[in-house]
Amino acid sequence: MSDHRFYIVTDEAGAGRALDLLSAVFEEEGVPIATMETDEAKGLWEASAYGSGEPDADLKERMARCLGQDFPGVEIRLEVFGETDWIARSLDGLKPVRAGRFLVHGAHDRGAVRVNDLAIELEAGQAFGTGHHGTTAGCLEMIERVMRAVPGGRDIGPVLDLGTGSGVLAIAAARFAPVRVLATDIDPVATRVARENVVANHVAARITCVTAQGFHSTAFSREGPFGLIIANILARPLMRMAPDIRRNLAPGGSVILSGILSSQRRQVLAAYSGQHLRHVETLWRNGWVTIHLK
């Protein structure tokens, strides 16, 4: 068995457009979609759809149909990972990421940690979210801003990290202040990886990791309502979940949303305005936005 990805090479704007198109088709099926910059000097980006097992010709054909109108004649390339732990391989080459006081790094970069850093060490695993994407970095910066505004941090109440992935945002909240955090994901592999990262970062006593589809778990009523809800997912599911997020938010609570392209910002704000949440601040990073609402 070998994992693989189909991908196109484009520029930053093209990667954002491809992500939007591919997400609209594949996100409900749980097919991982990602973009990454591969050559800063030349402005080259890649947009990818990931598959497990042997290369899936149907995935490539559907990807071609999805992108065809906006990317006529584009070459869809294949990379097969074989038995290589490709996430481990990619993490080995990543530099530490700073976002406010937070520093996200691998074990090979422990020497980069400074005295006042809130360091988060991530081991290679089968879950996305290393801090290198603009959405994750934006969330880290916004977490610090929101929690710093609350005296002592702990008074913000319990925190929910919805769609936790690697657990990096849950760990960040628990590192910033001694709060309780519920970290959930629909993918049991992500939940396992998040739990391992939580233990490795010595915050297991304050973070509970749960596999949950949407808000269908007793963990939400048991741990909530939440003074801060963080959801770094994608625009469409965020809009669908607006009523549930509002229902699980404590009075006076804050919401941090990301995974949102700049072009989708107004739609997301409209969905949450309909739930009587007001816009406080937007951070803009590389074509993505992170939104704070109260």
Side-chain angles (χ1 to χ4, degrees), residues 147-148 150-156 176-179:
M147 296 187 74
R148 186 185 296 279
V150 179
R154 71 171 73 232
D155 294 334
I156 202 167
F176 193 86
V179 294

Side-chain angles (χ1 to χ4, degrees), residues 62-121:
R62 293 177 64 202
M63 186 175 176
R65 289 200 303 269
C66 177
L67 298 175
Q69 187 170 347
D70 288 65
F71 298 86
V74 70
E75 178 187 2
I76 297 181
R77 305 179 185 184
L78 170 66
E79 181 179 7
V80 178
F81 305 114
E83 300 302 318
T84 302
D85 186 340
W86 58 273
I87 296 180
R89 185 180 68 188
S90 65
L91 283 178
D92 284 342
L94 292 177
K95 297 179 181 178
V97 169
R98 292 190 179 277
R101 283 189 62 199
F102 295 112
L103 177 74
V104 183
H105 66 93
H108 53 287
D109 274 315
R110 288 174 182 164
V113 180
R114 300 172 184 167
V115 174
N116 293 319
D117 285 342
L118 293 175
I120 302 171
E121 183 173 308

Side-chain angles (χ1 to χ4, degrees), residues 39-283:
D39 191 324
E40 183 177 3
K42 296 180 180 178
L44 296 181
W45 286 65
E46 293 175 0
S48 307
Y50 291 84
S52 58
E54 297 303 321
D56 183 354
D58 181 62
L59 176 60
K60 179 180 181 180
E61 183 179 339
R62 293 177 64 202
M63 186 175 176
R65 289 200 303 269
C66 177
L67 298 175
Q69 187 170 347
D70 288 65
F71 298 86
V74 70
E75 178 187 2
I76 297 181
R77 305 179 185 184
L78 170 66
E79 181 179 7
V80 178
F81 305 114
E83 300 302 318
T84 302
D85 186 340
W86 58 273
I87 296 180
R89 185 180 68 188
S90 65
L91 283 178
D92 284 342
L94 292 177
K95 297 179 181 178
V97 169
R98 292 190 179 277
R101 283 189 62 199
F102 295 112
L103 177 74
V104 183
H105 66 93
H108 53 287
D109 274 315
R110 288 174 182 164
V113 180
R114 300 172 184 167
V115 174
N116 293 319
D117 285 342
L118 293 175
I120 302 171
E121 183 173 308
L122 295 186
E123 296 301 326
Q126 295 172 284
F128 290 98
T130 63
H132 293 78
H133 195 279
T135 61
T136 310
C139 283
L140 289 169
E141 186 174 341
M142 192 70 86
I143 287 169
E144 179 177 0
R145 294 188 186 200
V146 172
M147 296 187 74
R148 186 185 296 279
V150 179
R154 71 171 73 232
D155 294 334
I156 202 167
V159 175
L160 170 62
D161 178 16
L162 190 67
T164 193
S166 66
V168 62
L169 302 181
I171 295 167
R175 290 299 312 279
F176 193 86
V179 294
R180 290 284 307 167
V181 184
L182 175 63
T184 71
D185 204 285
I186 63 173
D187 182 357
V189 173
T191 307
R192 174 180 59 77
V193 170
R195 190 176 292 115
E196 291 170 356
N197 287 328
V198 163
V199 170
N201 283 272
H202 311 294
V203 285
R206 296 200 297 275
I207 300 178
T208 302
C209 298
V210 175
T211 301
Q213 180 79 34
F215 283 86
H216 302 299
S217 171
T218 57
F220 296 101
S221 58
R222 184 173 65 248
E223 302 286 340
F226 302 95
L228 172 61
I229 297 177
I230 308 158
N232 181 16
I233 310 177
L234 288 170
R236 288 180 180 82
L238 285 176
M239 289 187 283
R240 286 197 302 270
M241 288 190 292
D244 286 325
I245 287 177
R246 176 65 184 88
R247 194 158 36 244
N248 284 273
L249 187 66
S254 286
V255 178
I256 296 173
L257 304 176
S258 199
I260 306 161
L261 292 167
S262 302
S263 59
Q264 299 168 322
R265 175 176 175 271
R266 290 186 181 277
Q267 294 171 279
V268 174
L269 286 175
Y272 283 81
S273 176
Q275 297 300 316
H276 308 290
L277 294 176
R278 64 177 177 85
H279 174 247
V280 178
E281 184 180 12
T282 297
L283 294 180

